[in-house]
Amino acid sequence: MHLHHIAGSLDLPDGAEGLDIAGITSDSRAVKPGYLFAALKGEKVDGAAFAGKAVAAGASAVLVGREAVSRLRAELPSGTVVLADEEPRRALALMAAKFYARQPKVMVAVTGTSGKTSVAHFVRQIFQAAGHSAASLGTIGTVTADGQIYGGLTTPDPVALHAELARLTDDGITHAALEASSHGLDQHRLDGVRLDVAGFTNLGRDHMDYHPTIEDYLQAKLRLFRDLLPEGGSVVYDPGEKYTDRIAKIAEERGLRVFTVGQTGKGLRLAGLNPNGASQILRIETERGDYSVSLPLIGHFQVSNALVAAGLAIMAGVNTGTALRALESLKGAPGRLEFAGRKKNGGLVVIDYAHKPDAIDNALAALRPFADGKLSVIVGAGGDRDPGKRPLMGEAAARRADLVIVTDDNPRSEDPALIRKAVLAGAPDAIEIADRAEAIREGIRRLGPGDILCVAGKGHETGQIVKDTILPFSDHMAVAEALAGEGNQ
Ligand SMILES: CC(=O)N[C@H]1[C@@H](OP(=O)(O)OP(=O)(O)OC[C@H]2O[C@@H](n3ccc(=O)[nH]c3=O)[C@H](O)[C@@H]2O)O[C@H](CO)[C@@H](O)[C@@H]1O[C@H](C)C(=O)N[C@@H](C)C(=O)N[C@H](CCC(=O)O)C(=O)O
Ligand SMILES: Nc1ncnc2c1ncn2[C@@H]1O[C@H](COP(=O)(O)OP(=O)(O)OP(=O)(O)O)[C@@H](O)[C@H]1O
Ligand SMILES: N[C@H](CCC[C@H](N)C(=O)O)C(=O)O
Ligand SMILES: [Mg+2]
């Protein structure tokens, strides 16, 4: 594709318009002949340091921040086209969008500390129930009616994202729901996506290693509403959630349409909520009439997630009745309060991806009413991620559960004993078992009739990251093996 087709508002040197660009990447190691290399300043290194390598590997154009342009023009072989932008990450995202040039016709995105994967998963199911070919993209990868492809990041880098959106479009996908992580928003990964509706779940503590303050974290989330959603777009949130006044203000300033949900919501007002076995009966008032919906999921937070999802689908064009009826057959996202097995004596094991204080609090609160006996939890924190949340996770576990077992999550580069120690600071009476499989076996060994064990933190994950290696590990497998060891199925 010719450079001028993807360059947007970037200044092109004379004669560069017709340069044929074979591909785009921000990783010098992935450059092939004819590629455009985006040299980005990162958390660890400055991509500009690899521009020479990229050109040696065949890159014919380099995109760089303005501050490095004269240096690179002098350093790189003559003939290399060097493009500059104030925000090279944003420029890269816009270029990737133009390079791949197609995305599903209708797209919604959801941000928030917790619930993004669940909401995206629900929106896809609602779109499908409405007869659309739909996909969701996020932490658990790309999901369509044909299956799931695991990605890695919650919000993929822009080149991977647009390549994926193009592939989905070619496969006939017309509707998609996307998770917008704060890292993704902050790093402009989504800036080239054309969105119709944007949703917000909630804001709690997370990623305080990356964002210096809660305000900075919130500002990253607000980019979705302030910078990414185009004029004429719609926003969906529960006004009962903290910080949503900030979204309301942006929506008012920008003239965006607002659809609110929840107890004080106007679009979908939750007028009643009653548990009914493993379901919840919601009474929902709407402008189109009142509905009684049996949501086949437990936990108040799944009600919030389901309402935000329905709001997103409705603002994206799905009929209100169709969206609400679809809630009656929703399936939870893998590893989110997922039933993982039962001991012969009736004790129940649940797997949940809670790896933040609020998520642990909510997941255990959701399970408590179903525990006739004791509620226990296996908890650990990931290494190289927000250390401040560790004691708070321990504290939430100790407050909500009768028994806490502290174990390893993904230690990454850190000493796992120190991570456990930090979690134990909030849960001083907990049992400490470093080996996660052993912790799961012990939790199951102690499970009595009527008890529930929640294995928290890793949800759908299939590996344990220790230093630079990913060891095969799945909570699902570990639970199945432990139950089999107890003589159960
Ligand atoms: C901290 C963080 O978010 N880092 C992301 C960021 O990397 P970076 O640009 O800071 O990387 P860097 O290592 O400093 O390198 C700078 C540049 O030099 C380039 N480089 C580097 C080495 C080389 O030999 N050649 C080369 O060209 C790199 O490709 C990069 O462009 O941009 C990369 C491309 O988009 C991401 O892959 C990378 O995600 C890393 C792997 C990561 O672990 N991110 C996590 C924290 C993350 O993003 N999580 C969120 C939130 C999850 C949640 O919801 O809780 C997510 O969306 O998944
Ligand atoms: N609306 C919610 N409010 C509070 N906690 C929630 C909510 N939804 C889900 N959770 C909890 O958070 C965990 C993760 O949920 P989910 O994967 O849907 O969120 P996420 O925002 O995508 O998380 P991540 O950023 O880690 O990908 C769940 O397993 C559950 O414990
Ligand atoms: N998307 C999350 C995943 C955390 C999962 C948990 N198992 C951990 O390793 O902390 C993050 O990167 O913060
Ligand atoms: Mg997610």
Side-chain angles (χ1 to χ4, degrees), residues 27-29 31-32 35 37 50-62:
D27 187 342
S28 61
R29 293 158 292 193
V31 167
K32 295 197 182 108
Y35 266 45
F37 170 64
F50 305 100
K53 275 202 178 124
V55 173
S60 48
V62 174

Side-chain angles (χ1 to χ4, degrees), residues 298-371:
I298 63 167
H300 277 203
F301 68 79
Q302 292 288 39
V303 175
S304 314
N305 293 341
L307 291 177
V308 170
L312 285 166
I314 290 168
M315 292 317 276
V318 175
N319 170 284
T320 303
T322 308
L324 293 181
R325 264 195 309 281
L327 299 186
E328 302 217 319
S329 43
L330 279 191
K331 291 195 171 47
R336 275 70 180 165
L337 282 187
E338 183 183 355
F339 169 77
R342 201 182 271 283
K343 210 171 146 172
K344 270 233 173 81
N345 66 9
L348 187 70
V349 188
V350 169
I351 291 178
D352 187 74
Y353 194 45
H355 54 85
K356 311 164 195 183
D358 290 355
I360 291 176
D361 196 58
N362 287 316
L364 294 175
L367 292 172
R368 173 61 76 182
F370 296 91

Side-chain angles (χ1 to χ4, degrees), residues 145-225:
D146 294 334
Q148 180 177 354
I149 303 171
Y150 189 59
L153 291 174
T154 286
T155 304
D157 83 77
V159 178
L161 176 61
H162 286 284
E164 185 67 346
L165 292 177
R167 182 186 72 81
L168 291 169
T169 309
D170 293 343
D171 285 352
I173 297 292
T174 56
H175 288 61
L178 202 64
E179 278 183 63
S181 69
S182 63
H183 290 79
L185 288 164
D186 190 55
Q187 295 166 18
H188 301 274
R189 295 180 201 161
L190 290 156
D191 283 26
V193 179
R194 216 173 44 251
L195 294 171
D196 299 283
V197 195
F200 175 85
T201 55
N202 49 58
L203 195 105
R205 186 198 168 100
D206 200 23
H207 302 311
M208 289 296 116
D209 48 340
Y210 182 84
H211 300 285
T213 58
I214 283 275
E215 180 61 27
D216 186 77
Y217 180 41
L218 174 65
Q219 284 300 336
K221 300 271 182 212
L222 292 179
R223 281 206 70 229
L224 180 60
F225 308 96

Side-chain angles (χ1 to χ4, degrees), residues 369-383:
F370 296 91
D372 295 328
K374 290 200 171 100
L375 176 61
S376 51
V377 63
I378 293 179
V379 63

Side-chain angles (χ1 to χ4, degrees), residues 18-92:
L19 184 69
D20 199 33
I21 299 295
I24 305 180
T25 181
S26 58
D27 187 342
S28 61
R29 293 158 292 193
V31 167
K32 295 197 182 108
Y35 266 45
L36 179 142
F37 170 64
L40 305 174
K41 258 202 186 124
E43 291 284 300
K44 295 195 201 115
V45 290
D46 185 348
F50 305 100
K53 275 202 178 124
V55 173
S60 48
V62 174
L63 166 70
V64 72
R66 265 198 217 292
E67 72 294 340
V69 67
S70 32
R71 181 165 57 82
L72 281 193
R73 280 200 177 126
E75 273 174 29
L76 295 174
S78 63
T80 312
V81 173
V82 182
L83 308 173
D85 193 75
E86 220 57 70
E87 292 271 22
R89 282 184 189 268
R90 177 171 160 76
L92 170 67

